[in-house]
């Protein structure tokens, strides 16, 4: 199970007991924000793509969308999301629980600059009813080898 894999992954870092598990779904940004009583932008949404045949995950602020031009400039290809049916095999997590932790071998993790606007964010933990609150330095530490990118649309003016 994906959640257990993430839990085991986070234990040696000292974060296994920091995972939050809920009776209701946190599988979408709106559900997670409501359950966590936080703003949607603080949900660390993890999107999965294929770059050629290689799976990559990009963690972005929950209120942001991919900017196709920025994505193409960064990865050299048009954004091609991984289908829900292919997620488990390609990335190691199912839809609604995709996160940057304990991904399959060969999956590159990217963190989008949009996350730096917040002191803490809430990525999922491998299931549709889990999350963890992390500072940006903690998120970086828990994603060894991750790279920073800027691939989202600018925040809409309020």
């Amino acid at each position: 199970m994906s959640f257990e894999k993430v839990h085991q992954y986070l234990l040696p870092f000292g974060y296994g007991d920091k995972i939050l598990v809920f009776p209701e779904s946190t599988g979408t940004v709106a559900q997670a924000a409501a359950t966590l009583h936080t703003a949607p932008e603080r949900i660390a949404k993890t999107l999965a793509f294929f770059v050629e045949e290689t799976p990559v995950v990009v963690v972005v602020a929950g209120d942001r969308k991919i900017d196709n031009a920025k994505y193409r400039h960064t990865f050299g290809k048009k954004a091609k999301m991984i289908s829900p049916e292919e997620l488990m095999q390609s990335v190691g997590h199912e839809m609604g629980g995709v996160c940057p932790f304990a991904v399959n071998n060969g999956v590159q993790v990217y963190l989008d600059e949009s996350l730096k606007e917040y002191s803490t964010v809430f990525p999922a933990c491998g299931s549709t009813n889990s999350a963890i609150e992390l500072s940006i330095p903690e998120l970086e530490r828990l994603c060894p080898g991750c790279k920073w990118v800027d691939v989202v649309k600018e925040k809409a003016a309020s």
Side-chain angles (χ1 to χ4, degrees):
M1 177 175 193
S2 196
F3 172 82
E4 188 55 37
K5 190 167 100 171
V6 171
H7 181 253
Q8 291 301 313
Y9 174 83
L10 293 175
L11 276 173
F13 291 99
Y15 287 83
D17 63 346
K18 296 182 187 302
I19 298 173
L20 306 169
V21 179
F22 304 96
E24 63 272 6
S25 177
T26 55
T28 68
V29 169
Q31 290 170 328
T35 299
L36 291 159
H37 306 289
T38 193
E41 54 266 24
R42 288 188 57 219
I43 303 304
K45 176 171 62 175
T46 305
L47 304 170
F49 301 93
F50 280 122
V51 176
E52 298 293 341
E53 300 300 316
T54 303
V56 301
V57 294
V58 182
V59 186
V60 306
D63 64 340
R64 301 298 180 85
K65 296 191 183 311
I66 294 294
D67 179 306
N68 289 323
K70 286 181 175 181
Y71 183 96
R72 186 185 323 248
H73 176 74
T74 300
F75 293 104
K77 296 286 176 195
K78 181 179 176 183
K80 179 187 175 203
M81 291 199 76
I82 297 176
S83 72
E85 299 78 30
E86 297 174 293
L87 276 173
M88 182 58 87
Q89 181 180 346
S90 299
V91 175
H93 303 302
E94 293 180 334
M95 179 76 87
V98 178
C99 64
F101 318 118
V103 293
N104 290 345
N105 289 335
V107 176
Q108 178 63 55
V109 176
Y110 295 90
L111 304 177
D112 186 78
E113 294 287 332
S114 61
L115 297 168
K116 291 181 178 178
E117 296 176 24
Y118 310 100
S119 57
T120 63
V121 294
F122 293 91
C125 288
S127 69
T128 60
N129 68 331
S130 64
I132 188 168
E133 184 175 15
L134 299 170
S135 69
I136 302 309
E138 288 173 317
L139 181 60
E140 282 182 297
R141 189 168 52 253
L142 294 172
C143 300
C146 66
K147 298 176 182 157
W148 284 96
V149 294
D150 177 11
V151 295
V152 297
K153 295 178 181 178
E154 295 300 316
K155 194 171 194 174
S158 7

